[in-house]
Amino acid sequence: MTHSAATPASPLRAVRSGPLKGTLRVPGDKSISHRALILGGMSVGETRITGLLEGDDVLRTAAAIAALGATVDRSGTGAWTVHGRGVGGLAEPEELLDLGNSGTGARLLMGAVATHPFTTFFTGDRSLCRRPMGRIAKPLEEMGARFVSRSGQRLPLAVQGTATPVPIRYRLPVASAQVKSAVLLAGLNTAGDTIVIEPEPTRDHTENMLRAFGATVDVMDGKDGRTVRLIGQPELTGQIVPVPADPSSAAFFAVAAAIVPGSDLTLTDVGINHLRAGLFETLRDMGVAIEMLNLRDLAGEPVADIRIRAGVLRGIEVPPERAPRMIDEYPVLAIAAAAAEGRTVMRGLQELRVKESDRLAAVARGLKATGIQVEELPDGLIIQGTGGALPGGGQIATESDHRIAMSFLIMGMAAKTAVTVDDDTMIATSFPGFADLARGAGADLGKPR
Ligand code: S3P
């Protein structure tokens, strides 16, 4: 399904539920799914992907990589094949690339096309057209590409790729895996070494997958941060990519199991890459019983089955340096904080203001509407927990943000009065089947009366 301005809003209501029980698998990792399609398209030969996330964001990337000349086929649920064009072999797309709601798809593809000698036009939905693209344009222009964009360096925009790219050494001004990945993807078709320095390490799926496809990527930790070096113009060869379950989607069920009394839930095949696992550590710090079972490796990414049992949560100060390792999980962590005893302080989160919505503002508004005391800081939130029973009630303005919608539906499962979100259609951008999976575990989700 696609989510667009033309899709009518569809409210959804979560009612206090009994214990959540059982074993479930959330859909495939969004970050890894985008990267598998893009690297598949930039490799020689066949890439076979299983467990691909079939949410709108990733489907947009699949369509875009096909428009850039790769052959992309779906053979069954989550089973996709890409026949790539090889490094430097992407072709000028005839149409505009519309990445819908997906910042990751848009930004990574801008990197991929920046070092190809043609022009690509990008657009997205209302939310994506508000998000900053200057952070991508700056390094890619240093490599020789040109960006022509709307005011504020926002979409729609055109990338004029360069035929004579220069490798750069680029220090990220913000902790962003998307910017890092865009530069590395641009570095693929650039002779010489492309170097990215990150002040705080961010998710490293691009580096891991580049290595698996045959590139040389070195990583060095120093006092200045982490230095990632890619040797340009490698021969990339198609691979088999099994996609783990998305830890950012698992996060919603982990918090639900932690706060709905009596719950005992196991989430299978979840990616637990250290640079994505910050939420599970934070929940443990808050006193939640979390077990990592059956630890194993899935095509270069660590995975586990995660068992979460309900308990008493205590408020904490979340270490700000943990932010890049759980950046998408703060909205649902805020729900755990609302149910905890005492105060939870979250800082270092200015990046949350430029996600699918201004997530600090959206979370603060939602918490207030549901009877929780919260202070909104320029870079964070201070939440006064209730110590268990959540009041609930109120209608949540999701701002068309999937993670805001899912977070407050989780709250409703543990609240005295039902919580209604104004729209659930955009949940399918990252988590198709969310409501059915939740119902299967015992949640009561339905249309508001
Ligand atoms: C992503 C990186 C993060 C994250 C997004 C996915 C990725 O964004 O919020 O959902 O796949 O690289 P930033 O890199 O902009 O922080």
Side-chain angles (χ1 to χ4, degrees), residues 249-259 265 267 279-280 283 288 290 308:
S249 297
F252 297 104
F253 284 99
V255 169
I259 67 172
L265 210 54
L267 308 169
L279 176 83
F280 303 115
L283 289 178
V288 179
I290 297 189
I308 307 106

Side-chain angles (χ1 to χ4, degrees), residues 25-31 33 51-54 243-246 249 430:
R25 190 192 199 274
V26 302
D29 188 279
K30 182 150 71 78
S31 294
S33 295
L52 187 90
L53 170 64
E54 294 179 328
V243 180
D246 195 326
S249 297
S430 73

